[in-house]
Amino acid sequence: MSGESDIGEDRVAAVEDQDTATAGREASAEGRPERVPGFRRLLRHRTALAVTAAGLVGALLGAGAVAWRTDTLPLVGPAPCWDSLSGTTLSGLFGDRRTEVEEQVLQGDPLGRGGTYGQCRITSYRDDRARRQVTVRVHQLDGLRGTDEGDWPREFLTAGMVPPGEGLPGLVSPSRAWLALPQSCVGRHEFTGPTVVDVAMGPAGYDGATDYDREDLAALTRTVVEAANGVVRDFGCSGAYRMPDPVPGPVARQDTRADAFCGIEGFTLPAAYRKELPRARVGGDGGPARVCEAGGSFDPAVRLTTVTDPVLSEVFAPRMLKAGRTVKGTKGSGSVDGSRAVYRARCQTGPVVFVVDQLDRIEHASADLAGRLLPGYVAAEAERIGCGPERVAGPEE
């Protein structure tokens, strides 16, 4: 992809001017498909996809090719997921297995709910048995009603995720990946998070640092970069994200340090919790969010998330207005509600959100584990990222 410009916070020159982006963003359901050739619209229809793929795959299997992988047959039509995924990427995801594609035209939600643009799903088969499925979605994260503060972070803000590379605003893991699209292309309303392209493959969080995980992480990185570039083109904007080189590796678990819990100097883990939180892993350093998960040998019991990207932090803003105990601090405020504690601080770079989630029961922990960990976490983490000093009132103050 040499010669193409980067897209990021200080790399948005690669997209068209705001008037063009706004026109593309506000295109009606009737207007957006008009930019798509008729044959491409036909291939996007689920039934047509199945019929076309079935007819072509039968002819190609003898040569070891899959219809959606070949670059040599112009009659096959566009590549899967908005003409974005290359043969190399599909081969990395599915090998030489037969695939079926279901793809929606990218457009606003016809029900008027906003924030949803479309989805693409690819399923691979060995004989007649489905073996692997990858789902690519394009949607704007909700920062007003709080619909994305639960499930989306549980899948896409985890300790197994790492920044994909310089100029790529997102995170990747062996099972999940996401990139934020440039605001100059997709726009942004107040109280909303970024518009993202996210990719899901299999269960979330069931990954480690094996060779298989390394291969899957590389494949998902290529997938999310190519898919994001396809969406940018489909929305009528120019420019492209660069493919990272090298692709990052997966995150390994390590023994916890009680005096520097989650690798944060000055954050001491209370003695009552140390026995059940012996292992931890930290992902996302240098990206839009740093995540630490601690627990036993595999399943995490606690997750601590620092969201430094101001737009992404809006996903957690509704939590401040919901039921729960309000907490005050030096430069911010937050709330503690059951198993989650959220604190939002005003830092030099903009708002930063600190989140503590209790994911599993800890035998000797109080019911207010998240609230008890929050003050020490915010104080030490704010100091580490240059946002301190920050003091949060504890549960007994």
Side-chain angles (χ1 to χ4, degrees):
M1 299 178 64
S2 59
E4 294 180 312
S5 55
D6 292 334
I7 298 176
E9 290 185 12
D10 54 355
R11 287 166 285 273
V12 295
V15 295
E16 295 180 336
D17 57 72
Q18 187 65 36
D19 289 340
T20 302
T22 302
R25 185 172 65 255
E26 295 179 350
S28 65
E30 293 80 19
R32 189 176 299 280
E34 288 178 358
R35 299 200 306 269
V36 184
F39 183 58
R40 183 174 173 185
R41 290 202 304 273
L42 172 65
L43 284 177
R44 282 179 171 179
H45 190 279
R46 177 175 179 176
T47 303
L49 276 170
V51 172
T52 304
L56 289 171
V57 169
L60 293 172
L61 283 179
V66 177
W68 293 106
R69 288 183 57 236
T70 180
D71 295 323
T72 60
L73 294 179
L75 293 180
V76 170
C81 301
W82 314 290
D83 203 12
S84 66
L85 301 186
S86 67
T88 299
T89 294
L90 292 174
S91 179
L93 291 171
F94 306 112
D96 60 358
R97 293 193 292 270
R98 175 175 65 89
T99 59
E100 291 184 4
V101 183
E102 301 169 75
E103 181 180 329
Q104 293 176 319
V105 173
L106 292 175
Q107 61 183 27
D109 189 336
L111 296 179
R113 291 173 295 195
T116 301
Y117 292 101
Q119 175 176 293
C120 174
R121 184 170 66 184
I122 309 175
T123 308
S124 69
Y125 293 85
R126 178 177 296 165
D127 298 325
D128 291 328
R129 182 181 178 185
R131 302 299 298 177
R132 170 172 278 190
Q133 188 172 86
V134 171
T135 302
V136 183
R137 299 182 302 170
V138 185
H139 58 119
Q140 186 174 61
L141 296 177
D142 173 33
L144 181 62
R145 297 174 296 274
T147 57
D148 285 317
E149 69 176 12
D151 290 343
W152 196 84
R154 276 193 291 269
E155 288 196 47
F156 293 95
L157 293 180
T158 68
M161 307 196 79
V162 295
E166 183 179 358
L168 296 173
L171 295 171
V172 296
S173 79
S175 63
R176 295 294 185 272
W178 65 272
L179 281 180
L181 296 173
Q183 293 181 40
S184 53
C185 179
V186 297
R188 176 176 173 254
H189 299 293
E190 193 175 8
F191 307 121
T192 60
T195 298
V196 300
V197 175
D198 62 40
V199 183
M201 181 172 70
Y206 288 90
D207 48 63
T210 67
D211 289 340
Y212 293 112
D213 292 314
R214 191 175 301 274
E215 292 173 1
D216 285 343
L217 192 151
L220 283 194
T221 300
R222 290 192 297 268
T223 300
V224 74
V225 172
E226 290 184 352
N229 288 338
V231 173
V232 168
R233 290 192 302 270
D234 198 285
F235 280 0
C237 302
S238 60
Y241 290 113
R242 292 182 183 272
M243 194 67 67
D245 185 21
V247 172
V251 184
R253 292 171 176 81
Q254 298 179 341
D255 293 338
T256 60
R257 285 180 53 193
D259 60 340
F261 188 53
C262 288
I264 306 170
E265 295 293 338
F267 182 24
T268 300
L269 181 64
Y273 311 145
R274 295 176 187 176
K275 181 179 179 181
E276 295 186 73
L277 302 175
R279 302 277 288 173
R281 64 173 174 171
V282 179
D285 262 330
R290 181 185 191 268
V291 187
C292 171
E293 292 173 346
S297 58
F298 189 79
D299 292 329
V302 176
R303 177 183 297 134
L304 296 89
T305 306
T306 305
V307 184
T308 54
D309 180 86
V311 179
L312 184 61
S313 72
E314 290 294 334
V315 172
F316 297 96
R319 173 65 57 167
M320 309 299 176
L321 305 176
K322 293 185 177 180
R325 175 169 55 84
T326 299
V327 295
K328 298 291 185 180
T330 310
K331 298 193 291 282
S333 62
S335 67
V336 180
D337 185 10
S339 60
R340 168 171 281 187
V342 180
Y343 184 83
R344 183 182 177 109
R346 298 178 298 274
C347 299
Q348 299 90 327
T349 57
V352 173
V353 169
F354 307 85
V355 186
V356 181
D357 286 303
Q358 182 175 351
L359 307 176
D360 202 357
R361 186 180 185 89
I362 295 181
E363 183 177 353
H364 300 293
S366 69
D368 193 23
L369 173 62
R372 291 180 176 276
L373 289 179
L374 184 69
Y377 171 51
V378 171
E381 179 71 334
E383 196 68 31
R384 187 189 69 83
I385 65 176
C387 186
E390 186 74 23
R391 183 179 184 274
V392 179
E396 315 218 331
E397 298 181 53

